[in-house]
Amino acid sequence: MALVQKNIARAIEHHKAGRIKEAEKLYNLVLQQNRNNPPVITLLSMAFSGLGNSYWDAGDIKTATDNYLKAIKLNPQNLEAYNNLGMLYSSQKIYDEAIKCHEKALKINPEIPEVHNNLGTVYFDVGETQKAIKHHEQAVKLRPGYAEAFYNLGNDYKGNEKYKLALKEPGNLEKALTCYLKAIELNPFLVNAYVNLGLVYHYRNEPGKELSCYKKAEELSPGSAEIINNIGNMHRDARRMDKAIEYFERAIRLAPEKDDAYINASISCLALKDFEKGWKYYQHRLNDNRDYRKKLSEFSQPVWTGQPPEGKTIYVYWEQGFGDTVNFSRFLPVLDSMGAKVLFQPQKELAGLFKNNNLKAEIITHTPDEFDYHVPLLSIPGILNVNEKNIPSPGKYLGADPEKVSFYREKYFNNDYFKLGINWQCKNILHVDQYRSVPHISCFYPFLRFDNTRVYSFQKGCGTEQLGSLPGDINIINLGEEFSDFSDTAAALENIDLLISVDTSVPHLAGALGRPAWVLLQTVPDFRWFLEGETTPWYDTLRLFRQAKRNEWDDVVQRIYTELCPVFSARL
């Protein structure tokens, strides 16, 4: 036993001195000599867990993992080893294994706040927000002074923008604010709490408080790329695009791996019509795209980045929202004209519409087995060096199914009224979506009361509940409940005289169909609409009505009403 104690003491001495390989050799020697000695085995389990920490700190992830697993094998009740291995798996984005480790740790002892905090954070990272809340709330219940857990709970309530799973329950931003303030009270040096508190103030449209938070965070962490990036966002929201780009590029220089700074720089550059730099930066959006990373790991074929396409099969796939797919599907015939065979996989809701159109591409619903190159749809304009002067097909490039057009005409539009379509909200999944949406249909009431008019709602999902409480003098036909996919939406759009809509997929579809649409845009709209002008090079039939002040739609609606008055006067 004396020899065992001597070897363990020497191993610990090596370990403390940073000579972890020497320590590991001695621990293994003791293990070989004492496999049937339970107290020594328990001690060695702790030692190997500590070696795991040291190897992780040294960047040797594989050896760290091996040591944690050895610690667990020696003592399946080693809670610390399970917890540390879970954190390591999480750092490597191996989330399923991380969850298993933390759950095993909690089975050993469910009263450890650190484990609840870690498990909650993994659930947040994978978008399981309700489970994240459960474990972070348990962490602060077990330890009321746990600043980091309050911070993580604030993140849960703020919502996971990355996976578009921001919680919709009213009051969540208030809960997030309370949690961040509590975290800061407990630990005034918690930099990220100031950063995310600033984001909450951003969503609440309180720029003064937002900037104060970022300034405090910058004071605590000078040269932080995240803080610089957030200040850039503030300038962008204030339409100071040049200043915003300056901050985003500064963040990039500080942290070249910071993809969100590239993305923010890209959409700011594109809004200013700096296409060369904008498209280049825009490619960084893919680095954090789970579906795209999965494709890269599964495909042996290369990504198409502009290689000669003649005689090659290019697999193109959707990437973002419905409007993005409709908007950029215009580039498929361009690839065909370059000699490529194009296989295109859109969202299933758009597949029927595209199959009834000649986009010079084979519309598919599953990943093909054979192709030469693959590329996300939204990368194509950058590869083709698209700018505002060479955007293809600004006129009609999609059509609706004639039979469906006739069906909708006979069922809903067989009248002599002016047929006005409306869409006032987008999906509102993200906090930023709220600024694109008109909060309530009542904002549209001024132009819904014209004589000789039939109003048709193209709204689906968010906002449709507002149709149940309309004033008696306003009647709206709810077409959204009739739509099964975008082929129905297209058929209905072919029957209206005018669409008035916020920035959703519906005006994109109207423009692609060559139908007239008036689009209400927030103060800093999507990059495609740029920052000025009533027209757009993307669609000949769209007219843009821009918000003058963030979140205030009354002026926009009044301008639309004023423009409509002569139209309806002429029909009397």
Side-chain angles (χ1 to χ4, degrees), residues 440-540:
H440 197 273
I441 193 174
S442 57
C443 296
F444 277 16
Y445 286 175
F447 54 77
L448 300 184
R449 289 188 165 103
F450 284 111
D451 293 332
N452 300 314
T453 304
R454 282 278 170 87
V455 181
Y456 302 85
S457 168
F458 282 73
Q459 193 74 39
K460 282 185 72 70
C462 290
T464 53
E465 72 283 353
Q466 298 172 11
L467 294 171
S469 56
L470 296 172
D473 62 336
I474 291 179
N475 181 45
I476 298 176
I477 297 169
N478 184 7
L479 291 179
E481 61 185 6
E482 180 85 46
F483 299 157
S484 60
D485 62 21
F486 278 90
S487 65
D488 290 308
T489 313
L493 284 169
E494 291 282 16
N495 281 288
I496 65 170
D497 295 304
L498 176 66
L499 172 74
I500 297 178
S501 174
V502 296
D503 181 13
T504 72
S505 57
V506 182
H508 278 287
L509 181 55
L513 293 165
R515 302 300 300 163
W518 292 1
V519 188
L520 291 77
L521 297 179
Q522 67 193 87
T523 49
V524 182
D526 182 85
F527 70 82
R528 270 160 286 213
W529 310 124
F530 310 126
L531 295 176
E532 307 291 342
E534 289 189 357
T535 60
T536 168
W538 293 101
Y539 303 106
D540 289 342

Side-chain angles (χ1 to χ4, degrees), residues 322-333 344 350-360 363 393-402 405 486-487 490-491 493-494 505-515 539 541:
F322 297 124
D324 300 292
T325 303
V326 170
N327 184 213
F328 283 6
S329 66
R330 71 183 70 218
F331 295 109
L332 301 175
F344 178 49
L350 284 165
L353 171 67
F354 287 154
K355 284 181 178 179
N356 283 324
N357 281 272
N358 184 15
L359 287 169
K360 304 294 184 180
I363 307 303
S393 307
K396 176 183 173 72
Y397 58 90
L398 291 178
D401 180 344
V405 173
F486 278 90
S487 65
L493 284 169
E494 291 282 16
S505 57
V506 182
H508 278 287
L509 181 55
L513 293 165
R515 302 300 300 163
Y539 303 106
T541 57

Side-chain angles (χ1 to χ4, degrees), residues 53-206:
N53 296 342
S54 298
Y55 277 114
W56 186 5
D57 290 341
D60 189 342
I61 300 301
K62 183 181 183 307
T63 308
T65 304
D66 291 343
N67 276 279
Y68 288 138
L69 290 171
K70 183 180 287 188
I72 290 167
K73 185 176 181 180
L74 291 172
N75 179 12
Q77 296 300 304
N78 189 334
L79 183 149
E80 180 183 286
Y82 275 119
N83 187 49
N84 290 342
L85 181 58
M87 289 192 291
L88 184 144
Y89 280 137
S90 180
S91 74
Q92 302 303 302
K93 300 185 178 180
I94 309 173
Y95 295 120
D96 289 344
E97 294 300 319
I99 289 170
K100 290 177 185 177
C101 287
H102 292 312
E103 287 181 339
K104 286 178 179 177
L106 287 176
K107 284 183 180 179
I108 296 168
N109 186 345
E111 303 297 312
I112 306 298
E114 289 88 353
V115 183
H116 282 288
N117 182 56
N118 292 336
L119 180 55
T121 302
V122 179
Y123 277 127
F124 177 80
D125 286 339
V126 299
E128 295 279 355
T129 315
Q130 293 289 0
K131 291 181 179 178
I133 289 174
K134 172 188 171 184
H135 285 283
H136 287 140
E137 285 185 337
Q138 184 64 18
V140 298
K141 180 180 178 182
L142 291 168
R143 184 183 297 164
Y146 199 171
E148 185 180 351
F150 273 109
Y151 163 72
N152 288 328
L153 186 57
N155 292 343
D156 299 336
Y157 284 122
K158 180 174 69 65
N160 194 333
E161 297 283 356
K162 179 178 176 182
Y163 293 111
K164 300 186 177 181
L165 289 166
L167 297 176
K168 296 179 182 179
E169 287 84 349
N172 275 344
L173 278 184
E174 291 298 322
K175 292 178 182 178
L177 185 143
T178 300
C179 288
Y180 291 138
L181 289 174
K182 182 65 175 179
I184 290 168
E185 175 190 330
L186 293 168
N187 181 0
F189 302 100
L190 196 57
V191 175
N192 286 339
Y194 289 102
V195 173
N196 284 2
L197 179 59
L199 287 173
V200 171
Y201 285 128
H202 169 78
Y203 299 140
R204 288 161 54 103
N205 198 20
E206 297 183 59

